[in-house]
Amino acid sequence: MDTITLTNIRVYAYHGCLPEETKIGSDYRVDLSVEANLDLSAESDALKDTVDYVHLNKIVKEEMSQPSKLLEHAAKRILDRIFSELDLVKASRVKVAKINPPLGGDVEDVSITLSRTRD
């Protein structure tokens, strides 16, 4: 299996359990990888034969713009859309990080990672 990776997709979003988190918002970072057979696209040099990373980035931005209480929920929505919209993808891994979370201390970020494979 071959891998396409998008690293450090930066978005401003309104996720969190605290009321101020959904009003004020904060910075997030998303790392995403998908596994697919890229033999055909490597030979053909045609966008139609690969997983379009512009489409992947669009999915991340659209799903991150929908508020969730938990990062896990946002990550699952991203994975669900990838598997729904991109038939070539056989496996995917998404990491969502909240930058400077309101934890009452000096914490750079808190993150979750979800991985899924196509059934």
Side-chain angles (χ1 to χ4, degrees):
M1 224 23 67
D2 307 303
T3 305
I4 295 174
T5 304
L6 283 74
T7 305
N8 202 17
I9 302 167
R10 292 176 296 273
V11 295
Y12 195 85
Y14 299 87
H15 306 298
C17 293
L18 301 174
E20 57 269 20
E21 292 177 294
T22 58
K23 289 179 184 160
I24 299 169
S26 58
D27 291 307
Y28 292 83
R29 186 182 63 244
V30 179
D31 297 327
L32 173 68
S33 65
V34 298
E35 293 183 18
N37 184 334
L38 302 178
D39 290 345
L40 180 59
S41 61
E43 190 64 36
S44 73
D45 196 28
L47 183 59
K48 68 177 180 59
D49 294 331
T50 193
V51 178
D52 184 354
Y53 51 80
V54 172
H55 191 159
L56 292 171
N57 188 58
K58 178 181 180 235
I59 290 171
V60 168
K61 291 196 171 200
E62 288 177 357
E63 292 305 322
M64 288 299 290
S65 73
Q66 301 299 315
S68 293
K69 290 179 183 165
L70 302 177
L71 299 180
E72 294 91 320
H73 190 254
K76 180 187 181 304
R77 287 197 323 265
I78 292 167
L79 290 172
D80 288 348
R81 286 228 7 230
I82 288 169
F83 285 106
S84 171
E85 297 177 18
L86 300 165
D87 292 335
L88 283 176
V89 174
K90 302 301 180 203
S92 184
R93 179 181 185 98
V94 62
K95 177 181 175 183
V96 179
K98 185 173 204 167
I99 311 302
N100 298 317
L103 300 178
D106 186 14
V107 178
E108 182 176 329
D109 68 50
V110 60
S111 66
I112 60 94
T113 303
L114 296 182
S115 300
R116 298 288 184 270
T117 56
R118 189 177 296 280
D119 295 329

